[in-house]
Amino acid sequence: MRRTDKNILKPCWLLLCVVSLSCLTTRPPCVRAAEQQWKAGVASIVITPKDSMWMAGYAARKGPSEGKVHDLWAKALALEDAYGTRTVIVTVDLIGIPRPTREWMEEQVDARFKLPPAALLLNASHTHCGPVIRETRYSIYGNTVYGLSPEQIEQSNRYVEDLQRKMLRLVGRALDNLAPARLGYTHARAGFAMNRRSKTESGYRINPNPDGPVDHDVPVLRIDSPDGKLRAVMFGYACHCTTMSFNKFCGDYAGFAQEYVQQAHPDATALFIAGCGGDQNPYPRREFDYCQQHGRALANGVETALSSQAKTVRGPVKALLETVTLEFAEPPGREQLREKAKSSDKYDRRHAEVLLDELKRTGKIGKTYSYPVQVLRFGDDLTLVALAGEVVVDYSLRLKAEIADSAVWVAGYSNDVFGYVPSLRILQEGGYEGGGAMRYTQLPGPFAPSVEELIVSRVHEMVDKARTPARR
Ligand SMILES: [Zn+2]
């Protein structure tokens, strides 16, 4: 997918043809100049449902949405390096990215814009105040026992079809808007995310744990025009987007943070990337004031990062997307499931019914999960690792410590949000993120202990492939 801008690059290519390998590693001036030649384009679109809809995030909700606090947005940042290699990052104020939506988008952007799958990153803020998406009779909200009528499932599917078309148009608009730009990486901190796994006599419970690991980093990619005007700010944070649980559409703290950054910089678009916040909650919570305060705290973190000297981010960009086959622990047998299907707990009962149905339809229960891992490496200046699912904070802390040769940004909630991804520590500790939450999904049960190593070792292999030849 490389296009060459002949006017800019021809002298460089001629030079590259005659310089020796040692000269390549020292990067002649025209190569250094090319590394800093970017084009960037941004676009935004409102994705708030027009009508009242059932809302995602909490199985215990009793009724559909009642209006909105502010709009939900999808936003796209398109980047093109000096060699014409393009990547597009799409962020949405939604609970997640359904895998079928990812697959549909991959096909469409490839067909329409010649953008390969590896160059498309989709990330969801995981706000729990958005609509239900991609529900079926097997999923938690889609099961009529828990409230959704067939009409409501149909409404949700229609919403997703409309969302997909909007996201596709958005990618096209961001690519149309490509214009010369400078990229800079900077970061700061925000402190409201708190570990939510508290040890009790009956196992781990969701409660603030002041001693548990956190990642308070606020990574920021700033996009400026060549004359120094701020055009876009992409920022991240590792924390569940769950300050609120009310029945109004709202981007929660991430929605407010984007709003505040855009208010402070009216010519710029702010995009939020959810980090490895699977085991992190915003505290305190459940009061609307807190939601805005957390948004303000995060926006202040972004502002602090913007006021410090950003590190120039050079190209070329290298995008990789691979799937890792994750293993589940041995699933329950037919008899065990039949017993569980009689449980007085409706969630256990539904989970058993879903798995029994899978047994009936396919003759077996799946034991593996095809897990997408994406790496975007910008020269040797910035490595953006995008992991699928609700990734716990151990992953970002570990990967940032282990990938030492560039700035490292680890996103969770990317490309396929299907359930929790525990580290080995959390898997062994158990509790909600360790495997307990699997009963709300269609997956058989906890992952096998190999989960962390399979993901981390693949990330390392991919980062190595994405390094420039000089660094490999
Ligand atoms: Zn979650």
Side-chain angles (χ1 to χ4, degrees):
M1 290 309 126
R2 293 187 168 195
R3 296 184 306 105
T4 304
D5 185 330
K6 291 196 177 81
N7 295 329
I8 297 170
L9 290 174
K10 204 168 182 183
C12 298
W13 286 121
L14 287 173
L15 183 58
L16 284 174
C17 290
V18 293
V19 290
S20 67
L21 193 65
S22 63
C23 195
L24 270 178
T25 57
T26 54
R27 306 207 316 279
C30 81
V31 174
R32 284 204 301 274
E35 286 168 346
Q36 293 176 37
Q37 283 167 7
W38 290 98
K39 285 181 183 167
V42 280
S44 309
I45 194 164
V46 170
I47 55 168
T48 321
K50 289 188 182 69
D51 303 314
S52 168
M53 268 186 76
W54 206 265
M55 296 178 73
Y58 301 103
R61 276 205 170 89
K62 297 275 185 285
S65 66
E66 295 159 10
K68 65 179 180 186
V69 168
H70 52 200
D71 275 318
L72 306 174
W73 292 86
K75 297 173 183 172
L77 169 64
L79 298 171
E80 183 182 300
D81 69 13
Y83 306 98
T85 307
R86 292 174 164 189
T87 51
V88 178
I89 298 168
V90 177
T91 64
V92 289
D93 299 330
L94 289 172
I95 191 84
I97 307 289
R99 184 73 166 253
T101 293
R102 164 81 208 177
E103 286 165 358
W104 187 89
M105 285 292 290
E106 275 184 8
E107 268 177 37
Q108 296 292 322
V109 299
D110 197 2
R112 298 206 183 185
F113 311 120
K114 300 275 176 277
L115 192 75
L120 177 72
L121 193 164
L122 306 178
N123 182 277
S125 73
H126 199 48
T127 176
H128 280 42
C129 294
V132 287
I133 45 177
R134 193 63 70 173
E135 294 304 322
T136 70
R137 69 193 182 90
Y138 298 109
S139 54
I140 188 76
Y141 310 103
N143 190 299
T144 50
V145 175
Y146 306 104
L148 258 74
S149 64
E151 291 75 28
Q152 284 170 317
I153 295 175
E154 178 55 35
Q155 185 190 25
S156 165
N157 291 341
R158 275 202 312 274
Y159 173 80
V160 173
E161 281 166 24
D162 187 49
L163 171 76
Q164 290 177 168
R165 285 193 294 270
K166 280 184 175 171
M167 287 201 296
L168 189 62
R169 281 209 306 277
L170 186 72
V171 170
R173 277 174 42 209
L175 288 168
D176 286 346
N177 291 342
L178 282 170
R182 293 199 310 242
L183 268 58
Y185 174 79
T186 172
H187 65 143
R189 297 171 78 80
F192 61 88
M194 200 161 172
N195 193 287
R196 67 179 201 180
R197 289 172 50 81
S198 276
K199 194 174 181 181
T200 71
E201 283 176 1
S202 57
Y204 281 81
R205 294 274 174 270
I206 293 184
N207 269 317
N209 172 8
D211 301 315
V214 294
D215 180 358
H216 283 164
D217 200 17
V218 179
V220 171
L221 183 69
R222 61 178 299 160
I223 288 90
D224 294 274
S225 59
D227 60 359
K229 274 204 196 96
L230 188 66
R231 289 181 53 209
V233 186
M234 188 173 86
F235 62 96
Y237 197 54
C239 184
H240 254 77
C241 213
T242 52
T243 318
M244 303 310 296
S245 62
F246 55 12
N247 281 17
K248 288 182 194 305
F249 291 127
C250 177
D252 208 279
Y253 77 80
F256 280 109
Q258 293 174 79
E259 209 170 279
Y260 297 150
V261 171
Q262 290 182 167
Q263 278 168 11
H265 304 277
D267 296 329
T269 302
L271 304 91
F272 174 76
I273 293 265
C276 299
D279 54 343
Q280 312 287 309
N281 262 350
Y283 288 112
R285 59 210 285 254
R286 301 303 190 232
E287 295 283 341
F288 186 61
D289 280 356
Y290 297 145
C291 186
Q292 292 178 301
Q293 286 165 17
H294 297 328
R296 178 58 70 194
L298 183 51
N300 286 349
V302 173
E303 208 54 52
T304 305
L306 290 174
S307 65
S308 65
Q309 183 65 44
K311 178 180 144 186
T312 299
V313 172
R314 293 163 295 180
V317 66
K318 179 89 177 163
L320 295 169
L321 176 69
E322 297 183 4
T323 52
V324 183
T325 304
L326 298 182
E327 299 154 340
F328 292 111
E330 190 58 31
R334 194 184 303 264
E335 279 319 303
Q336 239 178 312
L337 289 173
R338 280 186 177 144
E339 272 312 300
K340 215 170 153 192
K342 296 176 201 157
S343 167
S344 59
D345 182 304
K346 62 184 180 182
Y347 302 116
D348 280 345
R349 201 165 62 230
R350 183 206 65 94
H351 193 222
E353 284 164 2
V354 166
L355 295 180
L356 280 169
D357 194 62
E358 186 181 345
L359 258 179
K360 198 168 137 193
R361 283 183 293 118
T362 66
K364 59 180 179 5
I365 291 174
K367 287 185 180 175
T368 58
Y369 193 80
S370 168
Y371 179 81
V373 175
Q374 188 172 26
V375 169
L376 301 184
R377 175 112 167 163
F378 300 83
D380 287 311
D381 293 322
L382 173 64
T383 306
L384 173 53
V385 179
L387 299 175
E390 302 207 38
V391 190
V392 297
V393 78
D394 294 359
Y395 283 90
S396 66
L397 297 176
R398 181 173 169 184
L399 287 168
K400 283 196 265 193
E402 292 181 359
I403 305 169
D405 70 337
S406 78
V408 180
W409 184 333
V410 189
Y413 299 88
S414 300
N415 301 319
D416 175 21
V417 182
F418 59 92
Y420 283 88
V421 183
S423 58
L424 179 60
R425 171 181 72 85
I426 289 178
L427 183 80
Q428 288 170 339
E429 288 172 356
Y432 191 74
E433 302 87 355
M438 285 295 195
R439 71 190 187 128
Y440 301 109
T441 71
Q442 299 161 59
L443 303 172
F447 281 112
S450 53
V451 58
E452 181 178 335
E453 272 321 303
L454 284 171
I455 295 172
V456 169
S457 58
R458 182 63 69 94
V459 169
H460 281 301
E461 283 170 33
M462 291 170 68
V463 171
D464 200 43
K465 282 187 224 168
R467 285 190 168 99
T468 63
R471 289 286 186 93
R472 250 177 250 156

